[in-house]
Amino acid sequence: MKHTHPDFRFVAEAYWDLEWELQQQGFDFCYDKKLYDRMEHGDAENVRQHLLADAAYQQGMVRFIENHDEPRAAATFPSGKGRAAAVAMLTLTGAKLLHEGQFEGRKVRLPVFLGRRPAEPVDQELVAFYGRLLNAVNREVFRNGEWHLCERSGWPTTKAA
């Protein structure tokens, strides 16, 4: 199929550490559930460790902080953490998945087949944040630049006496 339709993109929604294997079998992208889990439950070092993977692997990942199978980002990530996760997700290499209602801060996760939803207040600050973020990442460097994990530095930790 790939040889007859080279522009078609194959995306795998796989969560069982099969991402690399699926990429080797010809999938262009695989959901990066591991990154999502590390951003939700882990610390910054866990996220950094994940991003040390091979560049080719990283480029073949679908980055997301919300999708139809996961709880809504506004309900999962507290305000500051959700915004940091959004910045990370939208500035990393690979494909990006933005879910309907994510920008507005929807919190109710609906079944995929439900055609209606409860009324929820729109988080205007979050809408403005995503507007600024999408404007910032709508640059050539984010589409065709070369991504590198930055070195980290900071104050040395001190041990309590």
Side-chain angles (χ1 to χ4, degrees):
M1 175 85 161
K2 194 98 169 138
H3 65 281
T4 57
H5 301 285
D7 293 332
F8 188 84
R9 298 289 172 242
F10 290 88
V11 179
E13 183 182 4
Y15 292 157
W16 308 281
D17 291 326
L18 296 173
E19 296 84 359
W20 178 249
E21 183 179 330
L22 290 167
Q23 286 179 356
Q24 299 311 299
Q25 291 179 15
F27 279 90
D28 297 293
F29 297 100
C30 296
Y31 273 37
D32 197 352
K33 173 75 160 101
K34 192 169 285 190
L35 177 63
Y36 170 87
D37 288 341
R38 289 177 182 210
M39 286 195 290
E40 181 183 9
H41 302 293
D43 58 17
E45 180 59 18
N46 283 330
V47 172
R48 189 185 80 77
Q49 289 291 322
H50 182 70
L51 297 176
L52 289 172
D54 180 71
Y57 173 80
Q58 296 287 343
Q59 290 169 354
M61 301 308 291
V62 175
R63 313 304 186 153
F64 64 92
I65 60 170
E66 180 174 314
N67 70 34
H68 65 280
D69 285 329
E70 303 297 336
R72 304 304 301 243
T76 302
F77 297 103
S79 180
K81 188 175 181 180
R83 291 175 189 213
V87 169
M89 183 261 300
L90 285 170
T91 58
L92 290 170
T93 188
K96 282 65 168 181
L97 176 66
L98 300 164
H99 191 56
E100 182 273 331
Q102 180 176 334
F103 298 173
E104 293 83 15
R106 293 193 182 278
K107 294 181 178 177
V108 176
R109 181 176 166 258
L110 301 173
V112 173
F113 302 107
L114 190 62
R116 61 185 187 277
R117 76 173 106 219
E120 292 185 73
V122 173
D123 183 337
Q124 294 299 334
E125 288 183 19
L126 190 60
V127 170
F129 165 78
Y130 271 107
R132 291 188 305 272
L133 179 55
L134 290 173
N135 188 49
V137 299
N138 188 24
R139 297 194 175 124
E140 183 70 17
V141 68
F142 288 103
R143 286 187 297 280
N144 297 311
E146 189 172 325
W147 184 88
H148 296 281
L149 184 61
C150 295
E151 289 296 320
R152 69 206 188 288
S153 62
W155 292 281
T157 58
T158 57
K159 295 182 180 179

